[in-house]
């Protein structure tokens, strides 16, 4: 009897976790666009510091790096949602026709931002700027291949 209760609980949890939070494709598109918009806003502020157009503030930079590291994990599930390859989106069809290539770049994006977040906590401005440069280069590469401008 106990095994049946445990198995039932596991199945219930697994079903709940795998269910999509999106009611329709437009919701998923809006979700991923919102995440990327927040990433861009934070990334832009960080770029202003790196370029010297804004005073360097290691604490603020690190906070933004933590934000975008977490935000970078969000869009992937929305790209996997059926029907999100069309609609009001700048995503190129190559995302879905070359999912493996896109997944590699998305994973690198997430890894680079996690590294940036870690390095920024150490307080070394030069190392932080180097890590930012790596992440920025990868962002641009993905935009070139997978986003209409």
């Amino acid at each position: 009897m106990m095994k049946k209760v445990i198995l039932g609980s596991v199945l219930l949890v697994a079903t709940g976790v795998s269910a999509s939070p999106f009611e329709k494709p437009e919701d998923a598109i809006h979700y991923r666009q919102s995440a990327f918009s927040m990433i861009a806003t934070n990334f832009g502020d960080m770029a202003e510091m790196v370029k010297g157009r804004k005073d360097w503030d290691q604490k603020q930079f690190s906070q933004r790096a933590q934000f975008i590291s977490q935000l970078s994990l969000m869009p992937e599930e929305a790209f996997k949602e059926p029907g999100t390859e069309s609609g009001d989106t700048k995503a190129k069809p190559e995302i879905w026709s070359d999912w493996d290539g896109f997944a590699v770049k998305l994973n690198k994006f997430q890894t680079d931002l996690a590294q940036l977040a870690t390095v920024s906590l150490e307080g070394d401005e030069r190392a932080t700027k180097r890590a930012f440069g790596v992440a920025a280069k990868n962002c641009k590469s993905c935009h070139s291949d997978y986003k209409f401008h």
Side-chain angles (χ1 to χ4, degrees):
M1 177 67 168
M2 187 61 149
K3 286 183 181 180
K4 288 182 181 180
V5 170
I6 292 171
L7 180 58
S9 297
V10 168
L11 290 174
L12 181 62
V13 169
T15 302
V17 170
S18 65
S20 172
F22 312 112
E23 291 185 26
K24 52 190 183 239
E26 298 80 25
D27 296 340
I29 291 169
H30 178 71
Y31 177 87
R32 72 178 185 232
Q33 288 173 340
S34 296
F36 282 127
S37 178
M38 288 186 285
I39 290 168
T41 298
N42 284 281
F43 208 85
D45 189 54
M46 295 161 66
E48 292 296 302
M49 284 188 241
V50 168
K51 294 174 182 176
R53 296 182 190 146
K54 182 176 179 180
D55 289 342
W56 183 261
D57 182 333
Q58 186 72 36
K59 183 177 176 183
Q60 182 182 34
F61 190 98
S62 182
Q63 181 181 39
R64 299 217 178 285
Q66 307 314 305
F67 291 160
I68 63 174
S69 177
Q70 290 301 305
L71 286 165
S72 73
L73 304 174
M74 298 175 70
E76 184 172 3
E77 72 176 326
F79 279 111
K80 292 179 178 179
E81 196 67 22
T84 61
E85 67 281 357
S86 60
D88 186 16
T89 178
K90 291 183 179 180
K92 289 183 177 179
E94 287 80 0
I95 290 172
W96 295 273
S97 66
D98 179 28
W99 181 260
D100 291 341
F102 176 71
V104 166
K105 286 198 176 193
L106 182 59
N107 181 269
K108 179 156 177 34
F109 172 67
Q110 293 164 339
T111 302
D112 288 349
L113 292 179
Q115 179 66 23
L116 175 60
T118 300
V119 169
S120 72
L121 288 172
E122 296 168 1
D124 181 333
E125 183 179 338
R126 292 179 89 191
T128 299
K129 287 179 177 180
R130 275 193 305 275
F132 179 85
V134 169
K137 183 178 179 184
N138 186 44
C139 280
K140 184 176 174 123
S141 162
C142 198
H143 282 205
S144 297
D145 294 343
Y146 299 108
K147 182 181 177 192
F148 289 114
H149 299 280

